[in-house]
Amino acid sequence: MSHDQATVAEEEYLQIIYWLQEAGLPITGANIARAMQVSAPTVHEMIGRLEGDGYVTRAEDKILSFTSSGREHASQIVRRHRLIERFLTDVFDIPWDQVHEEAERLEHWMSPVVEERMLRAIGDAKTCPHGHPIFEGEREQGVPLADVEQGATVRILRFENEAEDLLHYLKDIGLHPGLKGKLGHADDEEIVIEADDSTHSITRSVAETVSVVANPSPPVRVALPDQLVLGRERYGR
Ligand SMILES: [Zn+2]
Ligand SMILES: [Zn+2]
């Protein structure tokens, strides 16, 4: 099979691998299975196909890495995904908690011409509406909101998990990337962000998936794989 014709399923996997890598996680079958919520045998089979088609290589320790073709394909699909989300939000006025699934469908079928026009249409936007950089190499380092101490100032950087049920919840409680505030009350269950003229209460489990810039800042840490990426039912709303 030609490298230029990745299947939709392969593109989904390349995308997930890219997300894991961006988040600093080792690319293993187990991490992919967790992030995609599919079984280990399913992942194993697909990794074989990705290897056969020249997108990834597998080291002795079973950790995967992209080939240059794999990396190129993956960054292209991720860029398109984020661009489509931004376009649907800014140009078509679709609420930002409803664009992820749409982008999942559209990203596989977009021609370079459409991509080019979309890029023009979004002006100087640099991220998807959830805070992820559209262009490679522009990712600002954040820390999980759940790690921040009371009294610290925070700015919301991005929502690491784009499962739509999670995005609906985040929108409902009034959070969005760019929001600034101070960490108010925090306990085992919930964390309160006090912004200038609003107060937002978020459950601690969801706060694990929200990256912020904080002052003072807790140490940087790598997210857990199952807190990332498209867990559909994990947070039960
Ligand atoms: Zn998305
Ligand atoms: Zn997004």
Side-chain angles (χ1 to χ4, degrees):
M1 183 197 249
S2 152
H3 291 170
D4 293 337
Q5 287 164 7
T7 63
V8 168
E10 283 180 321
E11 288 186 347
E12 289 297 315
Y13 273 75
L14 290 173
Q15 180 162 223
I16 292 286
I17 294 171
Y18 189 97
W19 276 73
L20 293 172
Q21 194 174 64
E22 228 181 8
L25 289 161
I27 315 304
T28 59
N31 280 346
I32 295 172
R34 266 187 221 120
M36 295 185 87
Q37 303 199 311
V38 293
S39 71
T42 308
V43 171
H44 189 76
E45 195 206 318
M46 183 54 86
I47 289 173
R49 275 165 65 184
L50 291 172
E51 238 185 327
D53 288 344
Y55 295 124
V56 298
T57 53
R58 203 169 353 185
E60 291 281 299
D61 55 7
K62 298 203 174 147
I63 295 194
L64 302 173
S65 26
F66 280 128
T67 61
S68 59
S69 147
R71 182 161 184 87
E72 201 183 302
H73 266 83
S75 70
Q76 181 185 60
I77 200 83
V78 169
R79 184 179 68 240
R80 285 181 175 176
H81 179 94
R82 295 172 180 173
L83 169 61
I84 293 167
E85 287 184 336
R86 173 55 73 186
F87 178 84
L88 294 177
T89 306
D90 288 12
V91 181
F92 282 178
D93 258 339
I94 301 177
W96 59 255
D97 59 332
Q98 292 171 28
V99 294
H100 174 80
E101 300 285 336
E102 293 292 346
E104 284 287 288
R105 285 192 281 270
L106 294 169
E107 67 197 15
H108 306 289
W109 314 111
M110 189 155 81
S111 74
V113 175
V114 172
E115 184 175 353
E116 164 64 32
R117 295 296 165 103
M118 266 192 194
L119 261 177
R120 263 193 253 168
I122 64 164
D124 48 15
K126 295 278 182 270
T127 64
C128 83
H130 319 111
H132 296 266
I134 295 171
F135 306 101
E136 233 177 331
E138 295 187 354
R139 193 173 201 264
E140 196 178 341
Q141 181 71 58
V143 292
L145 174 60
D147 288 3
V148 177
E149 65 183 54
Q150 245 169 294
T153 59
V154 292
R155 170 170 58 88
I156 296 188
L157 203 51
R158 55 183 172 261
F159 303 138
E160 300 293 352
N161 189 322
E162 295 197 344
E164 282 205 353
D165 49 357
L166 215 47
L167 295 178
H168 296 325
Y169 169 77
L170 290 162
K171 189 160 194 291
D172 282 351
I173 61 172
L175 295 192
H176 58 84
L179 182 81
K180 291 178 186 164
K182 208 175 89 176
L183 216 79
H185 174 82
D187 60 31
D188 290 350
E189 298 288 309
E190 61 160 22
I191 292 172
V192 174
I193 297 179
E194 294 162 357
D196 276 351
D197 41 20
S198 55
T199 304
H200 313 268
S201 166
I202 177 172
T203 66
R204 188 166 278 281
S205 71
V206 176
E208 290 277 344
T209 71
V210 174
S211 284
V212 298
V213 175
N215 186 13
S217 180
V220 171
R221 75 168 157 98
V222 169
L224 306 173
D226 43 7
Q227 283 160 0
L228 275 186
V229 206
L230 320 185
R232 286 204 165 75
E233 254 116 59
R234 190 177 148 78
Y235 295 90
R237 29 181 93 75

